[in-house]
Short mmCIF file of all heavy atoms in Angstrom, two decimals:
data_model
loop_
_atom_site.label_atom_id
_atom_site.label_comp_id
_atom_site.label_asym_id
_atom_site.label_seq_id
_atom_site.Cartn_x
_atom_site.Cartn_y
_atom_site.Cartn_z
N LEU A 301 -28.10 111.94 -15.45
CA LEU A 301 -27.74 110.57 -15.05
C LEU A 301 -27.65 109.65 -16.26
O LEU A 301 -27.75 108.43 -16.13
CB LEU A 301 -28.78 110.02 -14.05
CG LEU A 301 -28.89 110.76 -12.72
CD1 LEU A 301 -29.91 110.06 -11.82
CD2 LEU A 301 -27.55 110.87 -12.02
N SER A 302 -27.42 110.24 -17.42
CA SER A 302 -27.32 109.44 -18.64
C SER A 302 -26.19 108.41 -18.53
O SER A 302 -25.11 108.72 -18.03
CB SER A 302 -27.05 110.36 -19.84
OG SER A 302 -26.91 109.60 -21.02
N GLY A 303 -26.47 107.20 -18.97
CA GLY A 303 -25.48 106.14 -18.92
C GLY A 303 -25.48 105.36 -17.61
O GLY A 303 -24.77 104.36 -17.48
N MET A 304 -26.27 105.80 -16.65
CA MET A 304 -26.36 105.10 -15.37
C MET A 304 -27.62 104.25 -15.30
O MET A 304 -28.67 104.64 -15.83
CB MET A 304 -26.34 106.11 -14.21
CG MET A 304 -25.06 106.93 -14.13
SD MET A 304 -25.08 108.05 -12.71
CE MET A 304 -23.50 108.89 -12.95
N THR A 305 -27.53 103.11 -14.65
CA THR A 305 -28.66 102.20 -14.53
C THR A 305 -28.96 101.95 -13.06
O THR A 305 -28.06 101.73 -12.25
CB THR A 305 -28.36 100.85 -15.21
OG1 THR A 305 -28.12 101.07 -16.60
CG2 THR A 305 -29.53 99.88 -15.05
N VAL A 306 -30.24 101.99 -12.71
CA VAL A 306 -30.69 101.70 -11.36
C VAL A 306 -31.69 100.54 -11.43
O VAL A 306 -32.62 100.57 -12.24
CB VAL A 306 -31.36 102.92 -10.70
CG1 VAL A 306 -31.89 102.56 -9.31
CG2 VAL A 306 -30.39 104.09 -10.61
N PHE A 307 -31.48 99.53 -10.61
CA PHE A 307 -32.41 98.41 -10.51
C PHE A 307 -33.29 98.65 -9.29
O PHE A 307 -32.79 98.81 -8.17
CB PHE A 307 -31.66 97.09 -10.36
CG PHE A 307 -32.55 95.88 -10.34
CD1 PHE A 307 -32.88 95.24 -11.53
CD2 PHE A 307 -33.04 95.37 -9.14
CE1 PHE A 307 -33.69 94.11 -11.53
CE2 PHE A 307 -33.87 94.25 -9.13
CZ PHE A 307 -34.19 93.62 -10.32
N LEU A 308 -34.61 98.71 -9.48
CA LEU A 308 -35.55 98.92 -8.39
C LEU A 308 -36.34 97.64 -8.14
O LEU A 308 -36.93 97.08 -9.07
CB LEU A 308 -36.51 100.06 -8.70
CG LEU A 308 -35.95 101.48 -8.76
CD1 LEU A 308 -37.07 102.47 -9.05
CD2 LEU A 308 -35.25 101.86 -7.45
N ASP A 309 -36.35 97.20 -6.91
CA ASP A 309 -37.11 96.01 -6.51
C ASP A 309 -38.22 96.41 -5.55
O ASP A 309 -37.97 96.58 -4.35
CB ASP A 309 -36.17 95.00 -5.85
CG ASP A 309 -36.93 93.83 -5.24
OD1 ASP A 309 -37.97 93.45 -5.80
OD2 ASP A 309 -36.46 93.28 -4.22
N PRO A 310 -39.46 96.59 -6.06
CA PRO A 310 -40.58 96.82 -5.15
C PRO A 310 -40.89 95.49 -4.46
O PRO A 310 -41.40 94.56 -5.08
CB PRO A 310 -41.73 97.24 -6.08
CG PRO A 310 -41.09 97.47 -7.43
CD PRO A 310 -39.88 96.59 -7.46
N SER A 356 -41.95 102.97 -5.48
CA SER A 356 -41.00 102.64 -6.55
C SER A 356 -41.34 103.35 -7.85
O SER A 356 -40.44 103.79 -8.58
CB SER A 356 -40.98 101.12 -6.79
OG SER A 356 -40.50 100.42 -5.66
N VAL A 359 -40.13 106.91 -7.60
CA VAL A 359 -38.67 106.94 -7.71
C VAL A 359 -38.26 106.72 -9.16
O VAL A 359 -37.38 107.41 -9.69
CB VAL A 359 -38.03 105.88 -6.79
CG1 VAL A 359 -36.52 105.82 -7.02
CG2 VAL A 359 -38.32 106.19 -5.32
N LYS A 360 -38.89 105.77 -9.82
CA LYS A 360 -38.59 105.47 -11.22
C LYS A 360 -38.80 106.70 -12.10
O LYS A 360 -37.94 107.05 -12.92
CB LYS A 360 -39.47 104.32 -11.71
CG LYS A 360 -39.32 103.96 -13.18
CD LYS A 360 -40.20 102.76 -13.53
CE LYS A 360 -40.07 102.36 -14.99
NZ LYS A 360 -40.69 103.35 -15.90
N SER A 362 -38.76 109.83 -11.26
CA SER A 362 -37.75 110.83 -10.94
C SER A 362 -36.42 110.52 -11.59
O SER A 362 -35.80 111.38 -12.22
CB SER A 362 -37.58 110.92 -9.42
OG SER A 362 -36.58 111.84 -9.08
N LEU A 363 -35.96 109.28 -11.45
CA LEU A 363 -34.66 108.89 -12.01
C LEU A 363 -34.66 108.97 -13.53
O LEU A 363 -33.67 109.41 -14.14
CB LEU A 363 -34.29 107.48 -11.55
CG LEU A 363 -34.05 107.31 -10.05
CD1 LEU A 363 -33.89 105.83 -9.72
CD2 LEU A 363 -32.82 108.10 -9.60
N GLU A 364 -35.75 108.55 -14.14
CA GLU A 364 -35.81 108.61 -15.61
C GLU A 364 -35.82 110.05 -16.10
O GLU A 364 -35.26 110.34 -17.17
CB GLU A 364 -37.04 107.86 -16.09
CG GLU A 364 -36.92 106.35 -15.94
CD GLU A 364 -38.14 105.60 -16.40
OE1 GLU A 364 -39.24 106.20 -16.46
OE2 GLU A 364 -38.02 104.39 -16.71
N LEU A 366 -34.14 112.30 -14.95
CA LEU A 366 -32.76 112.74 -14.87
C LEU A 366 -31.87 112.00 -15.86
O LEU A 366 -30.66 112.21 -15.89
CB LEU A 366 -32.22 112.51 -13.45
CG LEU A 366 -32.79 113.42 -12.36
CD1 LEU A 366 -32.45 112.87 -10.99
CD2 LEU A 366 -32.28 114.84 -12.52
N GLY A 367 -32.45 111.12 -16.67
CA GLY A 367 -31.69 110.44 -17.71
C GLY A 367 -31.25 109.04 -17.39
O GLY A 367 -30.61 108.39 -18.21
N ALA A 368 -31.56 108.54 -16.20
CA ALA A 368 -31.12 107.19 -15.82
C ALA A 368 -31.99 106.13 -16.47
O ALA A 368 -33.17 106.35 -16.77
CB ALA A 368 -31.17 107.03 -14.31
N LYS A 369 -31.42 104.96 -16.67
CA LYS A 369 -32.18 103.79 -17.09
C LYS A 369 -32.62 103.07 -15.83
O LYS A 369 -31.82 102.82 -14.93
CB LYS A 369 -31.32 102.86 -17.94
CG LYS A 369 -32.00 101.55 -18.32
CD LYS A 369 -31.06 100.64 -19.08
CE LYS A 369 -31.71 99.29 -19.40
NZ LYS A 369 -30.77 98.38 -20.10
N VAL A 370 -33.90 102.73 -15.74
CA VAL A 370 -34.43 102.06 -14.56
C VAL A 370 -34.98 100.70 -14.96
O VAL A 370 -35.78 100.58 -15.88
CB VAL A 370 -35.53 102.89 -13.88
CG1 VAL A 370 -36.11 102.13 -12.68
CG2 VAL A 370 -34.99 104.25 -13.44
N VAL A 371 -34.52 99.67 -14.26
CA VAL A 371 -34.98 98.30 -14.49
C VAL A 371 -35.76 97.87 -13.25
O VAL A 371 -35.30 98.05 -12.12
CB VAL A 371 -33.80 97.34 -14.72
CG1 VAL A 371 -34.30 95.92 -14.94
CG2 VAL A 371 -32.96 97.81 -15.91
N LEU A 372 -36.95 97.30 -13.45
CA LEU A 372 -37.78 96.86 -12.34
C LEU A 372 -37.75 95.35 -12.18
O LEU A 372 -37.67 94.61 -13.16
CB LEU A 372 -39.24 97.29 -12.57
CG LEU A 372 -39.55 98.79 -12.51
CD1 LEU A 372 -40.99 99.03 -12.95
CD2 LEU A 372 -39.33 99.34 -11.11
N SER A 373 -37.85 94.91 -10.94
CA SER A 373 -37.89 93.46 -10.67
C SER A 373 -39.24 92.87 -11.02
O SER A 373 -39.36 91.68 -11.31
CB SER A 373 -37.59 93.18 -9.19
OG SER A 373 -38.61 93.73 -8.36
N ALA A 390 -31.79 88.94 -11.41
CA ALA A 390 -32.16 90.00 -12.35
C ALA A 390 -31.37 91.28 -12.07
O ALA A 390 -30.94 91.97 -12.99
CB ALA A 390 -33.66 90.27 -12.28
N ALA A 391 -31.19 91.59 -10.78
CA ALA A 391 -30.40 92.78 -10.42
C ALA A 391 -28.97 92.63 -10.90
O ALA A 391 -28.39 93.57 -11.47
CB ALA A 391 -30.45 93.00 -8.91
N SER A 394 -28.63 92.96 -14.64
CA SER A 394 -28.88 94.32 -15.15
C SER A 394 -27.60 95.16 -15.19
O SER A 394 -27.57 96.20 -15.84
CB SER A 394 -29.91 95.03 -14.27
OG SER A 394 -29.34 95.42 -13.02
N ASN A 395 -26.55 94.70 -14.48
CA ASN A 395 -25.31 95.47 -14.36
C ASN A 395 -25.56 96.89 -13.87
O ASN A 395 -24.89 97.84 -14.29
CB ASN A 395 -24.56 95.50 -15.70
CG ASN A 395 -24.03 94.13 -16.08
OD1 ASN A 395 -23.48 93.41 -15.26
ND2 ASN A 395 -24.22 93.76 -17.34
N ALA A 396 -26.54 97.03 -12.99
CA ALA A 396 -26.91 98.35 -12.48
C ALA A 396 -25.78 98.97 -11.67
O ALA A 396 -24.98 98.27 -11.05
CB ALA A 396 -28.17 98.24 -11.63
N ASP A 397 -25.72 100.28 -11.70
CA ASP A 397 -24.78 101.00 -10.85
C ASP A 397 -25.16 100.85 -9.39
O ASP A 397 -24.30 100.87 -8.51
CB ASP A 397 -24.75 102.48 -11.24
CG ASP A 397 -24.22 102.67 -12.65
OD1 ASP A 397 -22.98 102.69 -12.81
OD2 ASP A 397 -25.03 102.79 -13.58
N VAL A 398 -26.45 100.69 -9.13
CA VAL A 398 -26.93 100.43 -7.78
C VAL A 398 -28.31 99.79 -7.89
O VAL A 398 -29.08 100.09 -8.80
CB VAL A 398 -26.99 101.73 -6.93
CG1 VAL A 398 -28.06 102.68 -7.45
CG2 VAL A 398 -27.21 101.42 -5.46
N ALA A 399 -28.60 98.88 -6.97
CA ALA A 399 -29.93 98.28 -6.86
C ALA A 399 -30.53 98.70 -5.54
O ALA A 399 -29.82 98.82 -4.53
CB ALA A 399 -29.83 96.76 -6.94
N VAL A 400 -31.83 98.94 -5.53
CA VAL A 400 -32.52 99.33 -4.30
C VAL A 400 -33.76 98.47 -4.12
O VAL A 400 -34.63 98.45 -4.98
CB VAL A 400 -32.92 100.83 -4.33
CG1 VAL A 400 -33.62 101.21 -3.03
CG2 VAL A 400 -31.69 101.71 -4.54
N SER A 401 -33.81 97.74 -3.01
CA SER A 401 -34.96 96.92 -2.69
C SER A 401 -35.80 97.67 -1.66
O SER A 401 -35.32 98.00 -0.58
CB SER A 401 -34.50 95.57 -2.12
OG SER A 401 -35.58 94.67 -1.99
N ILE A 402 -37.04 97.97 -2.03
CA ILE A 402 -37.90 98.84 -1.24
C ILE A 402 -38.93 98.02 -0.49
O ILE A 402 -39.72 97.28 -1.09
CB ILE A 402 -38.57 99.90 -2.13
CG1 ILE A 402 -37.49 100.77 -2.80
CG2 ILE A 402 -39.55 100.75 -1.34
CD1 ILE A 402 -38.03 101.77 -3.79
N MET A 447 -28.05 106.37 1.89
CA MET A 447 -29.50 106.31 1.99
C MET A 447 -29.93 106.57 3.43
O MET A 447 -30.89 107.31 3.68
CB MET A 447 -30.01 104.94 1.53
CG MET A 447 -31.53 104.85 1.44
SD MET A 447 -32.23 105.87 0.11
CE MET A 447 -31.72 104.90 -1.33
N VAL A 482 -24.31 93.36 -7.64
CA VAL A 482 -24.14 94.81 -7.81
C VAL A 482 -24.46 95.45 -6.47
O VAL A 482 -25.13 94.84 -5.63
CB VAL A 482 -25.06 95.38 -8.92
CG1 VAL A 482 -24.74 94.75 -10.27
CG2 VAL A 482 -26.53 95.19 -8.56
N PRO A 483 -23.97 96.67 -6.21
CA PRO A 483 -24.25 97.32 -4.92
C PRO A 483 -25.75 97.38 -4.65
O PRO A 483 -26.53 97.80 -5.51
CB PRO A 483 -23.65 98.72 -5.10
CG PRO A 483 -22.56 98.53 -6.10
CD PRO A 483 -23.08 97.50 -7.06
N LEU A 484 -26.15 96.96 -3.47
CA LEU A 484 -27.57 96.89 -3.12
C LEU A 484 -27.86 97.66 -1.85
O LEU A 484 -27.13 97.56 -0.86
CB LEU A 484 -27.99 95.44 -2.94
CG LEU A 484 -29.40 95.19 -2.37
CD1 LEU A 484 -30.46 95.61 -3.40
CD2 LEU A 484 -29.59 93.73 -1.99
N VAL A 485 -28.96 98.42 -1.88
CA VAL A 485 -29.50 99.07 -0.69
C VAL A 485 -30.83 98.41 -0.37
O VAL A 485 -31.71 98.34 -1.24
CB VAL A 485 -29.71 100.58 -0.91
CG1 VAL A 485 -30.29 101.23 0.34
CG2 VAL A 485 -28.40 101.25 -1.31
N ILE A 514 -35.69 108.50 -0.95
CA ILE A 514 -34.99 107.38 -1.59
C ILE A 514 -34.27 107.86 -2.85
O ILE A 514 -33.11 107.48 -3.10
CB ILE A 514 -35.98 106.24 -1.91
CG1 ILE A 514 -36.44 105.59 -0.60
CG2 ILE A 514 -35.33 105.20 -2.82
CD1 ILE A 514 -37.56 104.59 -0.77
N THR A 515 -34.92 108.70 -3.63
CA THR A 515 -34.27 109.23 -4.83
C THR A 515 -33.07 110.07 -4.46
O THR A 515 -32.02 110.02 -5.12
CB THR A 515 -35.26 110.06 -5.66
OG1 THR A 515 -36.43 109.29 -5.91
CG2 THR A 515 -34.64 110.46 -6.99
N GLY A 517 -31.10 109.64 -1.88
CA GLY A 517 -30.02 108.72 -1.55
C GLY A 517 -29.38 108.11 -2.78
O GLY A 517 -28.15 107.99 -2.87
N ILE A 518 -30.21 107.73 -3.74
CA ILE A 518 -29.69 107.12 -4.97
C ILE A 518 -28.84 108.11 -5.75
O ILE A 518 -27.72 107.80 -6.17
CB ILE A 518 -30.86 106.61 -5.84
CG1 ILE A 518 -31.57 105.44 -5.15
CG2 ILE A 518 -30.35 106.19 -7.23
CD1 ILE A 518 -32.85 105.01 -5.86
N VAL A 519 -29.37 109.31 -5.96
CA VAL A 519 -28.65 110.30 -6.76
C VAL A 519 -27.35 110.71 -6.07
O VAL A 519 -26.31 110.86 -6.72
CB VAL A 519 -29.54 111.54 -7.01
CG1 VAL A 519 -28.74 112.65 -7.67
CG2 VAL A 519 -30.73 111.15 -7.88
N THR A 520 -27.39 110.86 -4.75
CA THR A 520 -26.17 111.22 -4.03
C THR A 520 -25.09 110.16 -4.24
O THR A 520 -23.92 110.48 -4.49
CB THR A 520 -26.46 111.38 -2.53
OG1 THR A 520 -27.46 112.39 -2.35
CG2 THR A 520 -25.20 111.79 -1.78
N TYR A 521 -25.48 108.89 -4.17
CA TYR A 521 -24.50 107.82 -4.38
C TYR A 521 -24.00 107.81 -5.83
O TYR A 521 -22.79 107.70 -6.08
CB TYR A 521 -25.12 106.46 -4.05
CG TYR A 521 -24.21 105.31 -4.43
CD1 TYR A 521 -23.05 105.03 -3.71
CD2 TYR A 521 -24.49 104.52 -5.54
CE1 TYR A 521 -22.20 104.00 -4.07
CE2 TYR A 521 -23.65 103.48 -5.92
CZ TYR A 521 -22.51 103.22 -5.18
OH TYR A 521 -21.67 102.20 -5.55
N LEU A 522 -24.90 107.94 -6.78
CA LEU A 522 -24.49 107.87 -8.19
C LEU A 522 -23.54 109.00 -8.56
O LEU A 522 -22.64 108.81 -9.38
CB LEU A 522 -25.73 107.93 -9.10
CG LEU A 522 -26.64 106.70 -9.08
CD1 LEU A 522 -27.85 106.93 -9.98
CD2 LEU A 522 -25.89 105.44 -9.52
N LEU A 523 -23.71 110.16 -7.95
CA LEU A 523 -22.89 111.32 -8.33
C LEU A 523 -21.66 111.51 -7.46
O LEU A 523 -20.70 112.15 -7.89
CB LEU A 523 -23.74 112.59 -8.30
CG LEU A 523 -24.88 112.65 -9.31
CD1 LEU A 523 -25.62 113.98 -9.20
CD2 LEU A 523 -24.38 112.44 -10.73
#
Side-chain angles (χ1 to χ4, degrees):
L301 297 182
S302 179
M304 298 182 182
T305 299
V306 177
F307 184 90
L308 291 181
D309 172 32
S356 295
V359 174
K360 176 177 181 289
S362 178
L363 294 172
E364 289 180 338
L366 290 166
K369 175 184 177 182
V370 178
V371 180
L372 291 172
S373 65
S394 74
N395 292 317
D397 295 277
V398 68
V400 180
S401 190
I402 299 175
M447 187 68 73
V482 298
L484 172 68
V485 179
I514 290 172
T515 307
I518 293 172
V519 172
T520 301
Y521 172 72
L522 291 177
L523 295 182

